[in-house]
Amino acid sequence: DEGSYSSPLRATILSSSTQDHPKRCLLLSRYDSPCAIILGLSGIALLGSILAFIFPSEEQHNNQSSSWDVISNILGYSYFLAWTLSFYPQIITNCTHPEKAVRGLSLDFIVWNIIGFALYAVYTTSLRYSAVVRQEYADRFGGGGAVVIQSEVPMAYHDPSFTNTTMFNVMINTMFTTIN
């Protein structure tokens, strides 16, 4: 009986040892197991590396990059993927289990995220694509302008759109919960 174990992870480990294949690791059957987390992080790092080489930075494109530029680009795309993927579990929960959608989710958190991401989108877009804004930034803070890497711009627009989707799901689910 798995209900008598102290945790679902412990239940998975103990019940796997009594089956036909005692050495088989069933830790991957849970999304929050150490094996699944390490596998997920490795996948994000691999995809971040692939994206960094498909979409090289300006320095890499002009063959003027150092190894730090390459590492920065890989970390930037890995960060983009990790942050982007973090939005999906809440949206999936909202759609598959509407009764759980608002439990433990703060409306303030969603509203402040929408505002913050909208301002971040304006900031990254203007610093990435406006020479005037970059020059004003350089004049005000001395030296070179602020560097906004290529992966920050799509993230700046993806994040508010998914936060708005979460907000919409919460509003709809709250409405239907109140009606029923």
Side-chain angles (χ1 to χ4, degrees), residues 18-161:
T18 61
Q19 295 174 357
D20 295 335
H21 304 287
K23 294 183 181 179
R24 190 172 83 176
C25 178
L26 290 181
L27 290 177
L28 289 177
S29 65
R30 290 192 41 90
Y31 64 88
D32 60 348
S33 71
C35 291
I37 292 170
I38 290 170
L39 185 63
L41 290 174
S42 299
I44 287 171
L46 177 65
L47 286 173
S49 299
I50 292 168
L51 285 173
F53 288 107
I54 291 174
F55 303 108
S57 66
E58 292 173 18
E59 292 82 13
Q60 287 174 290
H61 192 64
N62 297 331
N63 293 325
Q64 299 173 349
S65 67
S66 69
S67 58
W68 290 113
D69 293 325
V70 174
I71 291 170
S72 174
N73 206 23
I74 290 170
L75 290 175
Y77 278 107
S78 297
Y79 165 81
F80 165 72
L81 288 170
W83 193 258
T84 298
L85 292 174
S86 73
F87 287 94
Y88 288 90
Q90 183 64 47
I91 293 172
I92 291 168
T93 299
N94 292 349
C95 294
T96 58
H97 303 289
E99 69 281 358
K100 295 180 182 178
V102 294
R103 193 175 309 147
L105 185 62
S106 167
L107 184 60
D108 291 344
F109 175 76
I110 296 172
V111 170
W112 284 112
N113 266 311
I114 291 170
I115 292 168
F117 287 136
L119 294 173
Y120 182 67
V122 170
Y123 169 81
T124 57
T125 304
S126 59
L127 277 174
R128 178 76 181 164
Y129 297 111
S130 174
V132 173
V133 172
R134 283 194 306 270
Q135 186 58 49
E136 286 180 11
Y137 186 93
D139 292 345
R140 184 171 200 178
F141 297 105
V147 177
V148 174
I149 61 174
Q150 189 172 356
S151 62
E152 291 182 61
V153 177
M155 187 183 105
Y157 287 94
H158 174 275
D159 294 351
S161 66

